[in-house]
Amino acid sequence: MRECFEVRDTDAAGRIGELTVPRADVTVETPALLPVINPNLDTIAPRRLATEFGAEILITNSYIIHETEDVRERALEDGLHDLLEFPGAIMTDSGSFQLSEYGDIGVTTEEILEFQREIGSDIATPVDIPTPPDVDRERAETELETTQERLELAEGVETGDMLVSAPVQGSTYPDLREAAGRHADSTSLDVFPVGAVVPLMNDYRYDDMIDVVAAAKRGLGADAPVHLFGAGHPMMFALAAAMGCDLFDSAAYALYARDDRYLTVRGTRHLDDLDYLPCSCPVCTEHSPDDLRALPDDERESELGAHNLHVTFEEIRRIKQAIRAGNLLELVEQRARAHPTMLDGYRTLLDHAAQLERSDPVSKGSFFYTSAESARRPEVLRHHRRLERLAVPDSLLVTEGSSPRGDEFDDSWRVEPPFGPFPRSLSKSYPLTAEVPDRTDRAALEAAADGVARLAAANPDADITLGHRGWPDGVLERVADAVDVVDLSRE
Ligand SMILES: [Zn+2]
């Protein structure tokens, strides 16, 4: 059991947790956003991040601090908290990304961690090798070995009550990511960044990103706090949270502001293209788009940065509320409509429904069927598995709605898309209380038919009859041979 992290609520693989950061003497509620602070240029002062935006934790780059002489001296003398004037927890990145650009790093793991400790970091990061996506397997394996050696070295470094992160690498090889997760989990290190996913996100490869995170999560224990390193666009937070990411770091709010780009949960807009500001944050209620465009460069950047952060923190709160309410996947479904590649990400998330099902609560508020993808949610998968354990009479009618022919059988169950059959006594239990559109879709009917087929396969001696109302032949083929079929709409 990791002492620094406690999971409170779960929904799919998403969770609300508490990350205890002893050196800062703060507890950070997750999912959490870590604004990225460049000590040389702060778009928004760290103190403002705490007071105005409620940031409990931020991340800054120890490499930049190390390489900037006056900043380094002040950090060593006064500590990061005084330097940045930030009361919450401060995580430091080692600068692996910068270091990897320049080849040989010339410093040891011990020295890197020692420096982070000396400047007062609360969560330090060893120098790992951020292997990019799609490299050949040999390179991914070799670099992962180096990363793992450094994690083992980091374990041996005296770090006091500073937490230390253990990056999970492995490029786009799921088995390597899983093995990397298992290895990182076996160390005594504390926080687990899934590394080198920025190139995937820059290329809108949310499907591959989900596969990478899912693989890392399979290796990591359920009590491991997971950081999606470099994920800063609020559009994809819900998706990543549903796969079990707890920490996000945003440089996007500042980088985008510098380019006059305005973040929304449905994507990014250029300020020049906005006739209206679709947001109610203080920036957007006090300015029109023309006002913003007329501001001097530095003020405009600061105002846009503030808006971008408001939107980002708002989405984090929305995700937490969704987890608490048990409707995180409905939120993911909405976000998946923002961009076709987000829909690919959501569909890939559902490829991992069995993995999500393990932490998905047995009972929640209400299941809303809001897209064809809903038919593949973990609740449907769980119901189908449950069908194999239900006692079935010798002759059974499973039927949509009520059936005039129920008395011809030993028992009559309901069948409802997307779940399939269930005894009427379960009608009031989750998820069978689902709200499903009357004008249902093919995916829901197919999932229901698969449920019928599964019940029949588990009970080969029972005579099962399916009473449906106008299901297409293609759907009925999925139960062919296993059950008798009656079209009730023709009776
Ligand atoms: Zn705004």
Side-chain angles (χ1 to χ4, degrees):
M1 190 69 195
R2 279 201 161 72
E3 281 174 18
C4 70
F5 190 60
E6 193 177 335
V7 173
R8 290 288 166 90
D9 296 276
T10 62
D11 190 13
R15 59 263 188 101
I16 294 177
E18 286 188 348
L19 177 69
T20 303
V21 186
R23 198 174 188 198
D25 195 25
V26 298
T27 299
V28 175
E29 188 178 71
T30 65
L33 176 79
L34 294 72
V36 176
I37 289 297
N38 180 333
N40 293 324
L41 4 115
D42 52 10
T43 307
I44 308 238
R47 177 185 290 282
R48 239 185 108 191
L49 291 175
T51 55
E52 203 174 307
F53 297 88
E56 297 177 312
I57 181 168
L58 59 74
I59 183 166
T60 189
N61 190 313
S62 69
Y63 175 79
I64 293 173
I65 294 170
H66 191 270
E67 297 302 300
T68 316
E69 198 181 330
D70 61 320
V71 177
R72 182 179 66 223
E73 296 310 319
R74 283 168 56 210
L76 286 168
E77 201 152 306
D78 304 329
L80 274 182
H81 288 264
D82 280 356
L83 175 75
L84 298 177
E85 295 185 65
F86 184 70
I90 298 178
M91 180 172 180
T92 43
D93 184 6
S94 61
S96 298
F97 231 86
Q98 288 83 352
L99 291 165
S100 68
E101 307 255 299
Y102 311 124
D104 189 26
I105 59 171
V107 281
T108 66
T109 297
E110 289 85 346
E111 286 165 349
I112 291 270
L113 288 176
E114 188 53 38
F115 177 69
Q116 292 176 72
R117 190 183 174 191
E118 280 175 10
I119 59 176
S121 173
D122 302 310
I123 308 174
T125 309
V127 179
D128 60 328
I129 313 272
T131 311
D134 314 316
V135 301
D136 64 70
R137 190 176 172 96
E138 196 184 336
R139 176 176 164 195
E141 283 177 355
T142 311
E143 293 185 354
L144 180 56
E145 259 173 53
T146 308
T147 290
Q148 292 180 339
E149 282 163 17
R150 293 192 189 155
L151 296 189
E152 284 161 21
L153 284 171
E155 245 188 313
V157 177
E158 178 49 59
T159 50
D161 55 7
M162 178 174 74
L163 301 179
V164 178
S165 66
V168 175
Q169 297 293 347
S171 185
T172 24
Y173 296 96
D175 62 317
L176 292 186
R177 289 278 186 177
E178 184 175 343
R182 194 166 296 116
H183 171 270
D185 196 56
S186 73
T187 67
S188 60
L189 304 177
D190 308 288
V191 176
F192 302 88
V194 178
V197 288
V198 170
L200 295 177
M201 293 185 284
N202 286 347
D203 290 343
Y204 292 86
R205 290 168 62 182
Y206 297 114
D207 45 1
D208 292 327
M209 178 200 83
I210 286 295
D211 278 336
V212 159
V213 174
K217 292 281 295 184
R218 284 195 295 276
L220 292 164
D223 62 349
V226 175
H227 179 176
L228 192 61
F229 222 104
H233 201 300
M235 177 175 76
M236 47 72 66
F237 286 173
L239 176 67
M243 197 63 249
C245 296
D246 307 297
L247 302 168
F248 303 94
D249 55 272
S250 175
Y253 78 94
L255 295 175
Y256 284 47
R258 216 158 288 158
D259 294 338
D260 279 341
R261 287 188 290 169
Y262 179 99
L263 293 182
T264 83
V265 291
R266 298 177 61 213
T268 312
R269 307 284 174 264
H270 198 280
L271 183 58
D272 288 346
D273 299 330
L274 286 174
D275 295 318
Y276 304 92
L277 299 177
C279 172
S280 301
C281 83
V283 176
C284 298
T285 45
E286 283 163 26
H287 298 85
S288 70
D290 283 337
D291 291 343
L292 286 176
R293 283 189 282 263
L295 290 174
D297 287 355
D298 56 339
E299 278 180 53
R300 192 173 67 250
E301 180 180 329
S302 169
E303 294 295 339
L304 275 178
H307 156 80
N308 288 347
L309 262 185
H310 278 296
V311 173
T312 307
F313 276 106
E314 175 182 284
E315 182 70 353
I316 294 281
R317 291 193 296 275
R318 190 180 285 118
I319 288 166
K320 286 195 231 185
Q321 178 57 33
I323 294 172
R324 189 65 58 80
N327 54 28
L328 179 61
L329 289 178
E330 278 93 344
L331 178 61
V332 176
E333 271 185 358
Q334 290 175 25
R335 294 293 173 259
R337 266 59 202 172
H339 196 281
T341 56
M342 285 287 302
L343 186 52
D344 281 332
Y346 179 41
R347 287 175 175 163
T348 307
L349 180 82
L350 294 169
D351 289 346
H352 301 285
Q355 196 172 330
L356 306 182
E357 190 269 338
R358 272 175 237 143
S359 49
D360 198 49
V362 174
S363 185
K364 303 189 222 172
S366 188
F367 180 111
F368 279 16
Y369 189 96
T370 54
S371 76
E373 284 75 30
S374 301
R376 296 175 60 214
R377 280 177 48 169
E379 294 94 334
V380 177
L381 178 80
R382 179 182 289 155
H383 180 70
H384 285 181
R385 286 180 177 165
R386 184 187 194 181
L387 286 171
E388 295 176 353
R389 304 191 301 270
L390 294 176
V392 169
D394 291 341
S395 78
L396 175 67
L397 175 68
V398 298
T399 175
E400 287 186 283
S402 59
S403 167
R405 295 178 43 174
D407 51 4
E408 296 168 32
F409 300 84
D410 291 343
D411 199 0
S412 161
W413 289 9
R414 282 176 61 191
V415 58
E416 296 294 341
F419 300 101
F422 53 90
R424 289 175 196 275
S425 60
L426 293 179
S427 296
K428 295 222 172 345
S429 59
Y430 188 88
L432 305 168
T433 48
E435 298 278 351
V436 180
D438 291 336
R439 299 168 64 135
T440 191
D441 57 27
R442 176 102 178 190
L445 293 177
E446 287 180 351
D450 288 347
V452 173
R454 195 134 175 186
L455 185 72
N459 299 277
D461 297 332
D463 288 323
I464 299 177
T465 301
L466 167 64
H468 67 93
R469 295 182 189 275
W471 290 13
D473 289 344
V475 170
L476 292 170
E477 273 171 24
R478 300 168 95 92
V479 297
D481 307 333
V483 301
D484 295 324
V485 171
V486 185
D487 189 346
L488 298 171
S489 61
R490 293 189 184 166
E491 292 198 345

